[in-house]
Amino acid sequence: MPNVTMTVNGKKMSGNVEPRTLLVQFLRETLGLTGTHVGCDTSQCGCCVVHVNGDGIKSCTILAVQCDGADVKTIEGVANGDELHPMQAAFREHHGLQCGYCTPGMVMSALDLVKHNKNPSEPQIREWLEGNLCRCTGYHNIVKAIKAGAEAMAKARP
Amino acid sequence: MYNFEYHKAKTIADASAMITQKSEAKLVAGGMTLIPTLKLRLAKPSDLVDLNGLPELKGIKREGSAVVIGAMTRHVEVAESAEVQKAIPALAHLASHIGDPAVRNRGTLGGSISNNDPVADYPAAVVALNATVITNKRKIAADAFFKGMFETALEPGEIVTAVSFPMPEKAAYMKFPNPASRYAIVGVFVAKHKDGVRVAVTGAGPCVFRQKDMEAALAKNFSADAIKSIAQKQDGLNGDIHASPEYRAHLVGVMARRAVAAAG
Ligand SMILES: Cc1cc2nc3c(=O)[nH]c(=O)nc-3n(C[C@H](O)[C@H](O)[C@H](O)COP(=O)(O)OP(=O)(O)OC[C@H]3O[C@@H](n4cnc5c(N)ncnc54)[C@H](O)[C@@H]3O)c2cc1C
Ligand code: FES
Ligand code: FES
Protein backbone atom coordinates (compact mmCIF):
# COMPACT_ATOMS: atom_id res chain seq x y z
CA MET A 1 0.00 0.00 0.00
CA PRO A 2 1.35 3.45 -0.86
CA ASN A 3 2.51 5.57 2.03
CA VAL A 4 1.39 9.19 2.04
CA THR A 5 2.67 12.11 4.06
CA MET A 6 0.93 15.44 4.24
CA THR A 7 0.87 18.42 6.51
CA VAL A 8 -2.52 18.46 8.22
CA ASN A 9 -3.35 21.51 10.31
CA GLY A 10 0.34 22.31 10.56
CA LYS A 11 1.48 18.83 11.60
CA LYS A 12 3.19 16.23 9.41
CA MET A 13 0.98 13.13 9.20
CA SER A 14 1.67 9.83 7.44
CA GLY A 15 -0.22 6.66 6.79
CA ASN A 16 -0.60 3.74 4.43
CA VAL A 17 -3.56 3.96 2.08
CA GLU A 18 -4.98 2.03 -0.81
CA PRO A 19 -4.80 4.03 -4.04
CA ARG A 20 -8.60 4.27 -3.96
CA THR A 21 -8.72 5.78 -0.47
CA LEU A 22 -10.36 9.19 -0.59
CA LEU A 23 -8.81 12.12 1.24
CA VAL A 24 -11.90 12.31 3.49
CA GLN A 25 -11.48 8.66 4.47
CA PHE A 26 -7.83 9.23 5.30
CA LEU A 27 -8.70 12.26 7.42
CA ARG A 28 -11.57 10.62 9.27
CA GLU A 29 -10.57 6.98 9.50
CA THR A 30 -6.77 7.04 9.60
CA LEU A 31 -6.18 10.35 11.35
CA GLY A 32 -9.39 10.41 13.40
CA LEU A 33 -10.23 13.94 12.28
CA THR A 34 -13.99 13.47 12.14
CA GLY A 35 -14.86 17.17 11.87
CA THR A 36 -14.90 16.80 8.09
CA HIS A 37 -18.23 15.21 7.19
CA VAL A 38 -19.54 13.10 4.33
CA GLY A 39 -23.02 14.24 3.41
CA CYS A 40 -23.60 12.86 -0.07
CA ASP A 41 -20.42 11.13 -1.25
CA THR A 42 -21.44 12.25 -4.77
CA SER A 43 -19.58 15.61 -4.93
CA GLN A 44 -22.69 17.71 -4.47
CA CYS A 45 -23.17 18.77 -0.83
CA GLY A 46 -19.89 20.35 0.28
CA CYS A 47 -19.97 18.90 3.84
CA CYS A 48 -16.49 17.52 3.13
CA VAL A 49 -14.82 20.78 2.02
CA VAL A 50 -11.26 21.17 3.30
CA HIS A 51 -8.38 23.31 2.04
CA VAL A 52 -5.63 21.63 0.03
CA ASN A 53 -2.69 23.94 -0.66
CA GLY A 54 -5.01 26.83 0.19
CA ASP A 55 -7.93 25.92 -2.09
CA GLY A 56 -11.37 24.81 -0.90
CA ILE A 57 -11.98 21.38 -2.39
CA LYS A 58 -14.31 18.45 -1.83
CA SER A 59 -12.32 15.85 0.08
CA CYS A 60 -14.72 13.12 -1.06
CA THR A 61 -13.61 13.72 -4.66
CA ILE A 62 -9.84 13.55 -4.39
CA LEU A 63 -7.63 10.58 -3.59
CA ALA A 64 -5.42 10.61 -0.52
CA VAL A 65 -2.46 9.62 -2.73
CA GLN A 66 -3.03 12.76 -4.81
CA CYS A 67 -2.44 14.81 -1.64
CA ASP A 68 0.95 13.29 -0.88
CA GLY A 69 3.14 16.24 0.09
CA ALA A 70 0.22 18.66 0.24
CA ASP A 71 -0.72 21.16 2.90
CA VAL A 72 -4.21 20.31 4.20
CA LYS A 73 -6.38 22.32 6.53
CA THR A 74 -9.54 20.92 8.10
CA ILE A 75 -12.11 22.46 10.44
CA GLU A 76 -10.04 21.20 13.38
CA GLY A 77 -7.23 23.53 12.34
CA VAL A 78 -9.30 26.71 12.12
CA ALA A 79 -9.61 27.80 15.76
CA ASN A 80 -6.66 29.18 17.69
CA GLY A 81 -6.60 26.78 20.61
CA ASP A 82 -9.78 27.40 22.60
CA GLU A 83 -10.42 30.67 20.84
CA LEU A 84 -12.85 30.35 17.93
CA HIS A 85 -11.85 31.80 14.57
CA PRO A 86 -13.89 34.95 13.80
CA MET A 87 -15.79 32.99 11.13
CA GLN A 88 -16.68 30.24 13.61
CA ALA A 89 -17.67 32.84 16.21
CA ALA A 90 -19.92 34.51 13.63
CA PHE A 91 -21.70 31.20 12.92
CA ARG A 92 -22.42 30.86 16.65
CA GLU A 93 -23.42 34.48 17.10
CA HIS A 94 -25.78 34.50 14.09
CA HIS A 95 -27.20 31.04 14.67
CA GLY A 96 -25.75 29.85 11.37
CA LEU A 97 -26.33 26.20 12.21
CA GLN A 98 -28.99 23.88 13.51
CA CYS A 99 -27.92 20.22 13.38
CA GLY A 100 -24.40 21.30 12.43
CA TYR A 101 -23.81 18.59 9.84
CA CYS A 102 -23.06 20.99 7.00
CA THR A 103 -21.23 23.49 9.21
CA PRO A 104 -17.60 22.36 8.84
CA GLY A 105 -17.95 22.54 5.05
CA MET A 106 -19.77 25.87 5.27
CA VAL A 107 -17.00 27.40 7.38
CA MET A 108 -14.23 26.04 5.11
CA SER A 109 -16.05 27.34 2.01
CA ALA A 110 -16.64 30.70 3.71
CA LEU A 111 -12.91 31.00 4.42
CA ASP A 112 -12.17 30.17 0.78
CA LEU A 113 -14.62 32.89 -0.26
CA VAL A 114 -12.87 35.48 1.92
CA LYS A 115 -9.58 34.49 0.29
CA HIS A 116 -11.07 35.47 -3.11
CA ASN A 117 -13.24 38.36 -1.91
CA LYS A 118 -12.51 40.18 1.37
CA ASN A 119 -15.85 41.96 1.50
CA PRO A 120 -18.49 39.73 -0.11
CA SER A 121 -22.03 41.00 -0.65
CA GLU A 122 -25.07 38.94 0.24
CA PRO A 123 -25.68 37.82 -3.39
CA GLN A 124 -22.00 36.93 -3.77
CA ILE A 125 -22.17 34.79 -0.61
CA ARG A 126 -25.31 33.03 -1.85
CA GLU A 127 -23.71 32.31 -5.19
CA TRP A 128 -20.55 31.03 -3.52
CA LEU A 129 -22.60 28.55 -1.48
CA GLU A 130 -23.79 26.84 -4.69
CA GLY A 131 -21.81 23.74 -3.68
CA ASN A 132 -22.76 23.68 0.00
CA LEU A 133 -26.13 22.22 0.90
CA CYS A 134 -27.86 22.69 4.24
CA ARG A 135 -30.98 20.70 5.07
CA CYS A 136 -31.86 22.70 8.20
CA THR A 137 -31.34 26.42 8.23
CA GLY A 138 -32.75 27.73 4.97
CA TYR A 139 -29.34 29.43 4.49
CA HIS A 140 -30.46 32.84 5.73
CA ASN A 141 -28.47 32.80 8.96
CA ILE A 142 -25.52 31.13 7.27
CA VAL A 143 -25.35 34.05 4.84
CA LYS A 144 -25.59 36.55 7.72
CA ALA A 145 -22.88 34.68 9.63
CA ILE A 146 -20.50 34.67 6.65
CA LYS A 147 -21.01 38.38 6.06
CA ALA A 148 -20.32 39.14 9.72
CA GLY A 149 -17.40 36.69 9.79
CA ALA A 150 -15.78 38.33 6.76
CA GLU A 151 -16.20 41.76 8.37
CA ALA A 152 -14.71 40.53 11.64
CA MET A 153 -11.77 39.04 9.76
CA ALA A 154 -11.17 42.34 7.95
CA LYS A 155 -11.17 44.17 11.31
CA ALA A 156 -8.89 41.60 12.94
CA ARG A 157 -6.14 42.12 10.38
CA PRO A 158 -6.68 45.31 8.44
CA MET B 1 -14.74 2.08 -5.98
CA TYR B 2 -12.73 -0.83 -7.42
CA ASN B 3 -9.05 -0.64 -6.60
CA PHE B 4 -6.42 0.39 -9.14
CA GLU B 5 -2.75 1.25 -9.32
CA TYR B 6 -1.89 4.94 -9.05
CA HIS B 7 0.90 6.66 -10.96
CA LYS B 8 1.92 10.28 -10.96
CA ALA B 9 3.09 11.08 -14.49
CA LYS B 10 6.52 12.69 -14.68
CA THR B 11 6.31 13.78 -18.31
CA ILE B 12 3.62 13.88 -21.01
CA ALA B 13 5.46 11.12 -22.88
CA ASP B 14 5.51 9.03 -19.71
CA ALA B 15 1.74 9.49 -19.24
CA SER B 16 1.06 8.62 -22.87
CA ALA B 17 3.25 5.49 -22.68
CA MET B 18 1.47 4.30 -19.53
CA ILE B 19 -2.03 4.66 -20.96
CA THR B 20 -0.96 3.08 -24.24
CA GLN B 21 0.73 0.06 -22.65
CA LYS B 22 -2.14 -0.73 -20.32
CA SER B 23 -5.42 -0.82 -22.17
CA GLU B 24 -7.44 -0.36 -18.98
CA ALA B 25 -5.44 2.63 -17.72
CA LYS B 26 -7.05 6.05 -17.48
CA LEU B 27 -5.82 9.60 -17.08
CA VAL B 28 -7.00 11.64 -14.14
CA ALA B 29 -7.02 15.44 -14.32
CA GLY B 30 -9.26 17.29 -11.83
CA GLY B 31 -11.10 14.08 -11.05
CA MET B 32 -14.40 15.95 -10.84
CA THR B 33 -16.01 13.61 -13.34
CA LEU B 34 -13.75 10.58 -13.12
CA ILE B 35 -13.80 10.05 -9.34
CA PRO B 36 -17.63 10.19 -9.08
CA THR B 37 -17.73 7.73 -12.02
CA LEU B 38 -15.34 5.36 -10.22
CA LYS B 39 -17.38 5.60 -7.03
CA LEU B 40 -20.46 4.51 -8.93
CA ARG B 41 -18.42 1.62 -10.33
CA LEU B 42 -19.28 2.76 -13.84
CA ALA B 43 -15.61 2.37 -14.77
CA LYS B 44 -12.98 -0.11 -13.64
CA PRO B 45 -9.57 1.18 -14.71
CA SER B 46 -6.55 -0.98 -13.85
CA ASP B 47 -4.38 2.11 -13.43
CA LEU B 48 -4.87 5.83 -12.91
CA VAL B 49 -2.26 8.12 -14.41
CA ASP B 50 -2.33 11.52 -12.71
CA LEU B 51 -1.59 14.58 -14.86
CA ASN B 52 -1.39 16.88 -11.82
CA GLY B 53 2.20 17.89 -11.38
CA LEU B 54 3.04 18.46 -15.05
CA PRO B 55 3.66 22.21 -15.19
CA GLU B 56 3.91 22.12 -19.01
CA LEU B 57 0.16 21.38 -19.15
CA LYS B 58 -0.74 24.43 -17.12
CA GLY B 59 -0.98 28.10 -17.85
CA ILE B 60 -2.53 30.78 -20.01
CA LYS B 61 -0.68 32.75 -22.65
CA ARG B 62 -1.42 35.09 -25.48
CA GLU B 63 -0.05 33.95 -28.85
CA GLY B 64 -0.75 36.51 -31.57
CA SER B 65 -4.51 36.80 -31.84
CA ALA B 66 -5.21 33.68 -29.82
CA VAL B 67 -5.27 32.74 -26.15
CA VAL B 68 -3.65 29.36 -25.49
CA ILE B 69 -4.76 27.59 -22.34
CA GLY B 70 -3.02 24.49 -20.98
CA ALA B 71 -5.15 21.38 -20.54
CA MET B 72 -4.56 21.20 -16.76
CA THR B 73 -5.56 24.82 -16.21
CA ARG B 74 -8.37 24.77 -13.65
CA HIS B 75 -11.71 26.49 -14.17
CA VAL B 76 -10.92 28.98 -11.37
CA GLU B 77 -7.72 30.02 -13.14
CA VAL B 78 -9.52 30.71 -16.43
CA ALA B 79 -12.29 32.58 -14.59
CA GLU B 80 -9.84 34.81 -12.70
CA SER B 81 -7.23 35.28 -15.44
CA ALA B 82 -6.73 38.95 -16.32
CA GLU B 83 -5.50 37.82 -19.75
CA VAL B 84 -8.67 35.84 -20.52
CA GLN B 85 -10.93 38.53 -19.03
CA LYS B 86 -9.36 41.06 -21.38
CA ALA B 87 -9.04 38.95 -24.54
CA ILE B 88 -12.17 36.75 -24.37
CA PRO B 89 -14.35 37.88 -21.45
CA ALA B 90 -17.10 35.43 -22.49
CA LEU B 91 -14.72 32.53 -21.82
CA ALA B 92 -13.82 33.79 -18.33
CA HIS B 93 -17.53 34.24 -17.64
CA LEU B 94 -18.28 30.70 -18.80
CA ALA B 95 -15.55 29.25 -16.56
CA SER B 96 -16.80 31.23 -13.56
CA HIS B 97 -20.22 29.55 -13.84
CA ILE B 98 -19.10 25.91 -14.02
CA GLY B 99 -20.44 23.96 -11.06
CA ASP B 100 -19.44 25.51 -7.74
CA PRO B 101 -16.23 27.00 -6.29
CA ALA B 102 -14.84 23.67 -5.05
CA VAL B 103 -15.44 22.07 -8.46
CA ARG B 104 -13.75 25.04 -10.16
CA ASN B 105 -10.76 24.64 -7.81
CA ARG B 106 -10.11 21.14 -9.25
CA GLY B 107 -11.82 20.71 -12.64
CA THR B 108 -9.76 21.39 -15.76
CA LEU B 109 -10.30 22.52 -19.34
CA GLY B 110 -8.65 19.36 -20.73
CA GLY B 111 -10.75 17.07 -18.55
CA SER B 112 -13.96 18.81 -19.50
CA ILE B 113 -13.48 18.64 -23.26
CA SER B 114 -12.00 15.12 -23.23
CA ASN B 115 -15.01 13.92 -21.31
CA ASN B 116 -17.40 15.72 -23.71
CA ASP B 117 -20.43 15.54 -21.46
CA PRO B 118 -23.44 16.63 -23.55
CA VAL B 119 -24.33 19.17 -20.84
CA ALA B 120 -20.83 20.57 -20.22
CA ASP B 121 -20.05 24.24 -20.87
CA TYR B 122 -16.56 24.30 -22.41
CA PRO B 123 -17.45 22.38 -25.58
CA ALA B 124 -19.70 25.30 -26.62
CA ALA B 125 -16.81 27.75 -26.25
CA VAL B 126 -14.38 25.52 -28.15
CA VAL B 127 -16.80 25.17 -31.09
CA ALA B 128 -18.10 28.77 -31.22
CA LEU B 129 -14.63 30.26 -30.90
CA ASN B 130 -13.35 27.85 -33.59
CA ALA B 131 -10.60 26.77 -31.26
CA THR B 132 -7.88 24.25 -32.01
CA VAL B 133 -7.37 21.35 -29.63
CA ILE B 134 -3.67 20.59 -29.28
CA THR B 135 -2.64 17.08 -28.25
CA ASN B 136 0.66 15.28 -27.78
CA LYS B 137 0.25 14.01 -31.34
CA ARG B 138 -1.50 16.63 -33.47
CA LYS B 139 -3.81 19.62 -33.75
CA ILE B 140 -7.54 19.02 -34.07
CA ALA B 141 -10.06 21.63 -35.28
CA ALA B 142 -13.03 22.16 -32.98
CA ASP B 143 -15.49 20.97 -35.61
CA ALA B 144 -13.67 17.63 -35.84
CA PHE B 145 -13.07 17.11 -32.10
CA PHE B 146 -16.50 16.50 -30.58
CA LYS B 147 -17.88 13.32 -32.13
CA GLY B 148 -20.96 12.39 -30.11
CA MET B 149 -22.17 11.76 -26.59
CA PHE B 150 -19.03 11.42 -24.39
CA GLU B 151 -17.09 10.77 -27.60
CA THR B 152 -14.18 12.74 -29.07
CA ALA B 153 -11.60 12.38 -31.82
CA LEU B 154 -8.95 11.44 -29.23
CA GLU B 155 -7.18 8.18 -29.98
CA PRO B 156 -5.77 5.73 -27.43
CA GLY B 157 -2.71 7.25 -25.79
CA GLU B 158 -3.59 10.75 -26.97
CA ILE B 159 -3.53 13.52 -24.39
CA VAL B 160 -4.94 17.02 -24.76
CA THR B 161 -2.10 19.40 -23.91
CA ALA B 162 -3.72 22.78 -24.64
CA VAL B 163 -6.51 24.58 -26.45
CA SER B 164 -5.88 27.61 -28.64
CA PHE B 165 -8.83 30.01 -28.69
CA PRO B 166 -8.80 32.69 -31.42
CA MET B 167 -10.00 36.05 -30.11
CA PRO B 168 -13.42 36.92 -31.58
CA GLU B 169 -14.63 40.44 -32.35
CA LYS B 170 -17.30 39.85 -29.76
CA ALA B 171 -18.84 36.90 -27.99
CA ALA B 172 -21.12 35.85 -25.16
CA TYR B 173 -22.27 32.64 -23.49
CA MET B 174 -25.70 32.24 -21.95
CA LYS B 175 -26.64 29.17 -19.97
CA PHE B 176 -29.91 28.04 -18.54
CA PRO B 177 -28.47 26.00 -15.69
CA ASN B 178 -29.94 22.94 -14.10
CA PRO B 179 -30.75 24.41 -10.67
CA ALA B 180 -29.27 21.40 -8.83
CA SER B 181 -26.07 20.61 -10.73
CA ARG B 182 -25.43 23.91 -12.60
CA TYR B 183 -24.70 21.91 -15.75
CA ALA B 184 -26.38 23.40 -18.83
CA ILE B 185 -29.97 22.43 -19.59
CA VAL B 186 -29.19 24.57 -22.61
CA GLY B 187 -26.18 26.79 -23.15
CA VAL B 188 -25.52 28.88 -26.25
CA PHE B 189 -22.16 30.45 -27.12
CA VAL B 190 -22.31 33.08 -29.86
CA ALA B 191 -19.09 34.44 -31.35
CA LYS B 192 -18.69 37.04 -34.09
CA HIS B 193 -15.44 36.55 -35.96
CA LYS B 194 -13.90 38.63 -38.77
CA ASP B 195 -15.05 36.00 -41.27
CA GLY B 196 -18.46 35.04 -39.89
CA VAL B 197 -20.53 34.13 -36.89
CA ARG B 198 -20.52 30.82 -35.01
CA VAL B 199 -23.33 29.69 -32.73
CA ALA B 200 -22.64 26.58 -30.61
CA VAL B 201 -25.31 24.88 -28.55
CA THR B 202 -24.61 22.61 -25.58
CA GLY B 203 -27.00 20.76 -23.26
CA ALA B 204 -29.75 20.53 -25.85
CA GLY B 205 -28.57 17.54 -27.87
CA PRO B 206 -26.42 14.44 -27.38
CA CYS B 207 -23.35 16.48 -28.34
CA VAL B 208 -22.51 20.15 -28.82
CA PHE B 209 -23.71 21.35 -32.25
CA ARG B 210 -23.68 24.48 -34.44
CA GLN B 211 -26.94 26.27 -35.16
CA LYS B 212 -26.18 27.16 -38.77
CA ASP B 213 -29.46 28.93 -39.58
CA MET B 214 -28.73 31.38 -36.80
CA GLU B 215 -25.11 31.73 -37.93
CA ALA B 216 -26.25 32.73 -41.44
CA ALA B 217 -28.82 35.22 -40.16
CA LEU B 218 -26.38 36.77 -37.68
CA ALA B 219 -23.67 37.09 -40.33
CA LYS B 220 -26.03 39.41 -42.24
CA ASN B 221 -27.34 41.26 -39.22
CA PHE B 222 -25.82 40.70 -35.78
CA SER B 223 -28.85 41.44 -33.65
CA ALA B 224 -31.24 39.43 -31.47
CA ASP B 225 -34.07 40.43 -33.82
CA ALA B 226 -32.35 38.75 -36.76
CA ILE B 227 -32.86 35.30 -35.20
CA LYS B 228 -36.28 35.92 -33.65
CA SER B 229 -38.09 33.83 -36.22
CA ILE B 230 -35.60 30.94 -36.38
CA ALA B 231 -37.05 27.93 -34.58
CA GLN B 232 -34.71 25.19 -33.37
CA LYS B 233 -35.98 21.75 -34.47
CA GLN B 234 -36.89 19.39 -31.62
CA ASP B 235 -35.86 16.20 -33.44
CA GLY B 236 -32.99 14.45 -31.70
CA LEU B 237 -32.85 16.83 -28.72
CA ASN B 238 -32.49 15.50 -25.17
CA GLY B 239 -35.56 14.84 -23.05
CA ASP B 240 -35.33 13.98 -19.36
CA ILE B 241 -36.94 14.81 -16.01
CA HIS B 242 -35.45 18.30 -16.22
CA ALA B 243 -36.66 19.41 -19.63
CA SER B 244 -38.48 18.00 -22.66
CA PRO B 245 -37.05 18.29 -26.20
CA GLU B 246 -39.73 20.89 -26.92
CA TYR B 247 -38.64 23.02 -23.96
CA ARG B 248 -34.97 22.64 -24.83
CA ALA B 249 -35.68 23.72 -28.43
CA HIS B 250 -37.44 26.80 -27.10
CA LEU B 251 -34.52 27.56 -24.77
CA VAL B 252 -32.03 27.42 -27.66
CA GLY B 253 -33.80 30.42 -29.21
CA VAL B 254 -34.06 32.32 -25.93
CA MET B 255 -30.43 31.69 -24.89
CA ALA B 256 -29.15 32.54 -28.38
CA ARG B 257 -31.01 35.86 -28.42
CA ARG B 258 -29.77 36.70 -24.93
CA ALA B 259 -26.21 35.81 -25.93
CA VAL B 260 -26.37 38.06 -29.01
CA ALA B 261 -27.76 40.90 -26.89
CA ALA B 262 -25.06 40.37 -24.26
CA ALA B 263 -22.30 40.32 -26.89
CA GLY B 264 -23.54 43.80 -27.91
C1 LIG C 1 -20.93 19.04 -8.55
C2 LIG C 1 -20.38 19.21 -9.93
C3 LIG C 1 -20.91 20.18 -10.76
C4 LIG C 1 -20.43 20.36 -12.07
N1 LIG C 1 -20.98 21.34 -12.83
C5 LIG C 1 -20.52 21.52 -14.09
C6 LIG C 1 -21.07 22.54 -14.92
O1 LIG C 1 -21.94 23.32 -14.51
N2 LIG C 1 -20.60 22.65 -16.19
C7 LIG C 1 -19.60 21.84 -16.66
O2 LIG C 1 -19.22 22.00 -17.80
N3 LIG C 1 -19.06 20.90 -15.90
C8 LIG C 1 -19.49 20.72 -14.62
N4 LIG C 1 -18.91 19.75 -13.85
C9 LIG C 1 -17.82 18.93 -14.41
C10 LIG C 1 -16.47 19.61 -14.19
O3 LIG C 1 -16.36 20.74 -15.01
C11 LIG C 1 -15.32 18.66 -14.48
O4 LIG C 1 -14.22 19.31 -13.99
C12 LIG C 1 -15.02 18.29 -15.90
O5 LIG C 1 -16.11 17.78 -16.58
C13 LIG C 1 -13.97 17.20 -15.97
O6 LIG C 1 -12.73 17.77 -15.79
P1 LIG C 1 -11.68 17.14 -14.79
O7 LIG C 1 -10.46 17.94 -14.94
O8 LIG C 1 -12.26 17.05 -13.44
O9 LIG C 1 -11.42 15.71 -15.44
P2 LIG C 1 -11.39 14.23 -14.87
O10 LIG C 1 -12.63 13.92 -14.13
O11 LIG C 1 -10.10 14.00 -14.17
O12 LIG C 1 -11.35 13.42 -16.25
C14 LIG C 1 -12.48 13.32 -17.10
C15 LIG C 1 -12.14 12.42 -18.30
O13 LIG C 1 -11.24 13.07 -19.20
C16 LIG C 1 -10.04 12.32 -19.37
N5 LIG C 1 -8.97 13.33 -19.41
C17 LIG C 1 -8.70 14.27 -18.45
N6 LIG C 1 -7.72 15.11 -18.87
C18 LIG C 1 -7.35 14.70 -20.11
C19 LIG C 1 -6.40 15.17 -21.06
N7 LIG C 1 -5.62 16.25 -20.83
N8 LIG C 1 -6.30 14.50 -22.25
C20 LIG C 1 -7.09 13.43 -22.51
N9 LIG C 1 -8.01 12.95 -21.65
C21 LIG C 1 -8.16 13.58 -20.46
C22 LIG C 1 -9.98 11.41 -18.16
O14 LIG C 1 -9.26 10.22 -18.46
C23 LIG C 1 -11.44 11.12 -17.90
O15 LIG C 1 -11.91 10.12 -18.75
C24 LIG C 1 -19.37 19.54 -12.54
C25 LIG C 1 -18.82 18.56 -11.71
C26 LIG C 1 -19.30 18.39 -10.41
C27 LIG C 1 -18.71 17.34 -9.54
S1 FES D 1 -19.62 14.48 0.82
FE1 FES D 1 -18.27 15.49 -0.52
S2 FES D 1 -19.59 16.81 -1.59
FE2 FES D 1 -20.97 15.70 -0.30
S1 FES E 1 -27.36 22.84 9.96
FE1 FES E 1 -28.21 20.89 9.57
S2 FES E 1 -27.54 20.57 7.51
FE2 FES E 1 -27.00 22.58 7.83
Side-chain angles (χ1 to χ4, degrees), chain A residues 4-158:
Chain A
V4 293
T5 302
M6 53 188 97
T7 306
V8 181
N9 302 328
K11 287 199 208 87
K12 270 228 152 61
M13 302 281 202
S14 301
N16 292 331
V17 294
E18 287 187 310
R20 64 177 161 183
T21 305
L22 300 167
L23 176 61
V24 70
Q25 291 173 310
F26 179 71
L27 293 172
R28 289 179 57 89
E29 294 164 23
T30 308
L31 303 184
L33 294 171
T34 53
T36 303
H37 293 164
V38 177
C40 65
D41 206 17
T42 57
S43 322
Q44 319 272 332
C45 76
C47 287
C48 65
V49 170
V50 301
H51 297 181
V52 173
N53 297 329
D55 292 322
I57 59 113
K58 293 174 180 175
S59 61
C60 76
T61 317
I62 187 169
L63 304 170
V65 279
Q66 293 186 287
C67 300
D68 192 28
D71 186 32
V72 179
K73 188 174 207 167
T74 70
I75 190 70
E76 286 91 345
V78 171
N80 179 12
D82 286 343
E83 189 195 332
L84 290 181
H85 185 282
M87 188 59 80
Q88 292 174 303
F91 269 73
R92 183 164 73 181
E93 174 68 22
H94 293 272
H95 207 79
L97 59 147
Q98 287 179 22
C99 80
Y101 203 85
C102 68
T103 314
M106 289 288 177
V107 171
M108 298 315 281
S109 281
L111 293 175
D112 197 32
L113 166 61
V114 175
K115 193 185 100 183
H116 289 260
N117 181 350
K118 299 247 167 318
N119 182 22
S121 66
E122 186 191 320
Q124 286 170 328
I125 295 169
R126 289 186 184 276
E127 202 177 319
W128 193 267
L129 295 181
E130 183 54 51
N132 290 86
L133 304 183
C134 175
R135 303 307 297 265
C136 302
T137 62
Y139 301 98
H140 195 61
N141 286 353
I142 295 178
V143 175
K144 276 205 265 181
I146 295 176
K147 192 145 183 23
E151 283 162 11
M153 284 170 72
K155 271 203 205 108
R157 42 181 162 75

Side-chain angles (χ1 to χ4, degrees), chain B residues 9-264:
Chain B
K10 296 199 177 59
T11 61
I12 297 171
D14 176 37
S16 171
M18 278 193 276
I19 56 168
T20 312
Q21 280 152 16
K22 304 204 176 182
S23 62
E24 302 296 318
K26 251 188 173 315
L27 298 169
V28 58
M32 289 295 108
T33 296
L34 185 61
I35 292 178
T37 310
L38 297 182
K39 286 186 181 182
L40 292 169
R41 296 194 165 180
L42 294 174
K44 193 183 175 186
S46 58
D47 299 75
L48 279 198
V49 179
D50 197 343
L51 295 176
N52 286 280
L54 295 179
E56 59 271 43
L57 291 181
K58 266 181 148 323
I60 298 170
K61 55 180 188 289
R62 180 80 173 268
E63 274 180 15
S65 58
V67 178
V68 182
I69 305 182
M72 287 299 292
T73 310
R74 298 173 299 148
H75 307 329
V76 62
E77 290 159 341
V78 175
E80 294 187 347
S81 154
E83 191 71 77
V84 180
Q85 284 172 0
K86 195 167 113 224
I88 317 178
L91 189 59
H93 174 260
L94 175 147
S96 74
H97 284 77
I98 296 177
D100 59 57
V103 168
R104 296 195 288 274
N105 274 338
R106 291 291 301 164
T108 67
L109 168 61
S112 176
I113 65 165
S114 304
N115 190 52
N116 193 18
D117 192 314
V119 295
D121 296 304
Y122 267 129
V126 170
V127 170
L129 293 169
N130 199 12
T132 303
V133 178
I134 304 162
T135 76
N136 57 333
K137 300 189 171 158
R138 57 190 167 137
K139 293 184 173 176
I140 309 170
D143 286 335
F145 184 79
F146 301 102
K147 292 282 205 190
M149 195 187 272
F150 295 107
E151 202 191 323
T152 65
L154 291 174
E155 288 166 0
E158 195 164 15
I159 299 174
V160 175
T161 57
V163 181
S164 173
F165 293 96
M167 282 163 55
E169 284 177 2
K170 44 188 168 179
Y173 178 63
M174 281 290 154
K175 139 158 107 166
F176 190 85
N178 176 319
S181 73
R182 297 285 128 177
Y183 276 105
I185 286 183
V186 166
V188 180
F189 202 116
V190 175
K192 184 172 186 295
H193 301 272
K194 266 201 292 297
D195 53 355
V197 176
R198 291 168 72 100
V199 177
V201 179
T202 190
C207 180
V208 62
F209 63 88
R210 286 173 63 187
Q211 222 303 349
K212 295 200 177 170
D213 296 339
M214 290 185 186
E215 292 182 357
L218 290 170
K220 286 198 205 99
N221 171 11
F222 193 82
S223 75
D225 270 353
I227 52 173
K228 214 167 54 189
S229 59
I230 298 176
Q232 168 64 44
K233 288 200 186 67
Q234 289 176 40
D235 302 348
L237 294 196
N238 302 333
D240 52 32
I241 53 164
H242 307 296
S244 64
E246 182 187 10
Y247 186 49
R248 280 192 163 85
H250 173 71
L251 284 177
V252 171
V254 177
M255 292 300 118
R257 291 196 295 278
R258 287 189 192 168
V260 173

